[in-house]
Amino acid sequence: MTVADDAAAAFRKEYGSEPTGLWAAPGRVNLIGEHTDYNEGFVLPFALPMRTIAAAAPGGEGWSACSSLAQDPVSFGVAEAGAPGAVDGWGGYVAGVVWALRDAGYTVPPARIAIASDVPLGSGLSSSHALECAVLTALADLGGLEIAIEERPKLVQRSENVYVGAPTGIMDQSASLRCTADHALFLDCRTYAVEQIPFDLSAAGLTILIINSNAPHHHSDGEYGARRKSCEEAARILGVPALRDVPADGLDAALARLDDPVMRRRVRHVVTEDQRVLDTVELLKSGRIREIGPLLTASHASMRDDFEITVDQVDVAVQAALDAGAYGARMTGGGFGGCVVALIDTDRASEVTKSVDAAYAERGFTPATAWVAVASAGATKL
Ligand code: GLA
């Protein structure tokens, strides 16, 4: 059974009929550019082959959704879809998309939706955005809504920010909706311009290994919001619209104008990270893939020391991967747990995995899980 089969089966079981169609939206990893999106800077994610599938059909009074992940079914009408937060739990991600579409003036058809997914939950691979993007893509098609591709991530971000109440940026939705197979998505988070950067590693004998630290997430929501606030406050003090506007060669001068040492570190991360994204893109464009390794590792050090969003498990996984010969490694995603990406020679995958396993065993950590990442397609109707 594929995930698509699961979604179709869940639909039949819940609603006793066939879905009109199946819509898929992937999870993502971010190659580099962390906590830069809400600073209007640059990111470079790619889509995973793991996807969330929405099997859907029009009809009913309002909207209902069920999930093969054994979560309680939800249903809601116009009133709940009009009141941010009215539907909570997993259904809030569905209701939030309906809200965002309606709030933007679209007529959203009543619909029944069944969800299945193989995007790991709570691992920083953007499972919630995959759900929202699958639902958005399904509802847009069912309603014949003409929504430009560059508008879609903004709608999902509004759903997340206003309905669900999480202050996230625009990277995850953009990755899920706009990535293409064998490419990383170079996104300018101010202009929303994208460039598809060729990212077919196999020809170069290289692999990105994803290592799930399996570290429990602690306080990630509050810490995320605190980082964002600190960045916005720094931009205000510096008199710029966003930290994106602090050039790399103006960093020292900017830091000298900030009194708070913590804020100085946050700013240093964001400004240097934007530059690392630009440098990574240049290297990838000229086919010098191995050379991005040190940029990935520098990004990790910056997240660990300046942005302070890593935990022991991810630091240990990064170091173990480097010890086993990775060209570079870094935590990916919002932080406080989640996954590490490591750039390795394909034939070293088992050495790297063993190195991580040994380092984890030595420290008594819950074992990590690892798999090879393939840059995959964005959201689509199946
Ligand atoms: C989470 C958010 C994104 C982004 C990353 C950090 O994934 O959803 O918007 O801020 O963290 O880069």
Side-chain angles (χ1 to χ4, degrees):
M1 284 266 277
T2 64
V3 194
D5 295 334
D6 283 350
F11 190 96
R12 275 182 224 110
K13 187 169 166 226
E14 183 75 14
Y15 306 114
S17 60
E18 286 295 318
T20 307
L22 300 168
W23 288 264
R28 62 95 189 95
V29 285
N30 188 20
L31 188 58
I32 195 161
E34 225 63 81
H35 288 262
T36 45
D37 60 354
Y38 56 78
N39 290 298
E40 301 186 16
F42 308 104
V43 294
L44 191 62
F46 63 90
L48 295 172
M50 290 106 145
R51 308 190 286 188
T52 294
I53 312 287
E61 286 289 294
W63 297 270
S64 49
C66 64
S67 166
S68 70
L69 301 175
Q71 287 154 318
D72 291 338
V74 292
S75 54
F76 54 92
V78 168
E80 292 96 333
V87 180
D88 59 8
W90 81 278
Y93 294 101
V94 180
V97 169
V98 174
W99 171 80
L101 284 166
R102 287 171 51 86
D103 194 60
Y106 295 103
T107 303
V108 187
R112 291 160 300 175
I113 304 169
I115 299 295
S117 180
D118 61 357
V119 183
L121 299 179
S123 303
L125 299 176
S126 207
S127 55
S128 60
H129 287 100
L131 169 57
E132 291 167 292
C133 292
V135 169
L136 179 99
T137 310
L139 291 175
D141 277 3
L142 288 178
L145 312 179
E146 287 187 12
I147 313 173
I149 186 69
E150 57 278 12
E151 295 305 317
R152 293 181 179 219
K154 296 180 208 168
L155 291 167
V156 177
Q157 188 186 18
R158 284 208 10 99
S159 156
E160 182 92 8
N161 290 173
V162 183
Y163 198 97
V164 178
T168 53
I170 194 107
M171 170 171 68
D172 304 336
Q173 312 83 328
S174 300
S176 189
L177 292 162
R178 304 186 75 182
C179 279
T180 58
D182 297 327
H183 291 84
L185 183 85
F186 175 37
L187 171 69
D188 180 330
C189 300
R190 169 169 285 166
T191 65
Y192 307 116
V194 303
E195 194 178 340
Q196 303 286 347
I197 307 297
F199 194 59
D200 180 4
L201 299 176
S202 57
L206 294 168
T207 289
I208 291 279
L209 196 68
I210 302 182
I211 303 161
N212 188 344
S213 72
N214 289 325
H217 274 235
H218 284 306
H219 314 302
S220 54
D221 285 359
E223 293 289 348
Y224 185 98
R227 296 301 180 284
R228 184 168 183 158
K229 228 170 137 210
S230 177
C231 291
E232 286 166 356
E233 176 67 4
R236 196 189 58 75
I237 295 171
L238 294 170
V240 289
L243 291 183
R244 142 73 169 275
D245 298 298
V246 178
D249 62 7
L251 177 60
D252 288 344
L255 295 181
R257 294 174 55 202
L258 298 171
D259 294 332
D260 177 5
V262 173
M263 189 181 280
R264 282 203 293 270
R265 292 203 295 276
R266 306 297 187 247
V267 171
R268 188 166 54 195
H269 166 73
V270 172
V271 174
T272 58
E273 184 78 349
D274 268 335
Q275 187 60 45
R276 283 187 287 270
V277 177
L278 299 176
D279 293 346
T280 301
V281 167
E282 282 317 305
L283 288 169
L284 289 179
K285 279 183 174 173
S286 52
R288 292 155 65 192
I289 305 177
R290 283 177 179 75
E291 291 175 51
I292 73 169
L295 293 166
L296 303 182
T297 307
S299 168
H300 187 78
S302 180
M303 290 190 288
R304 184 191 59 213
D305 302 336
D306 280 347
F307 222 61
E308 298 177 280
I309 53 171
T310 70
V311 296
D312 285 350
Q313 285 91 333
V314 298
D315 294 338
V316 167
V318 163
Q319 192 55 50
L322 294 171
D323 290 346
Y327 294 104
R330 62 182 289 278
M331 185 187 73
T332 183
F336 307 100
C339 292
V340 162
V341 286
L343 178 67
I344 61 171
D345 283 323
T346 304
D347 57 14
R348 290 200 70 80
S350 70
E351 269 91 333
V352 173
T353 309
K354 274 186 216 147
S355 171
V356 173
D357 286 347
Y360 269 46
E362 200 178 301
R363 289 165 181 80
F365 294 160
T366 302
T369 36
W371 65 93
V372 168
V374 178
S376 303
T380 183
K381 184 172 195 295
L382 297 181

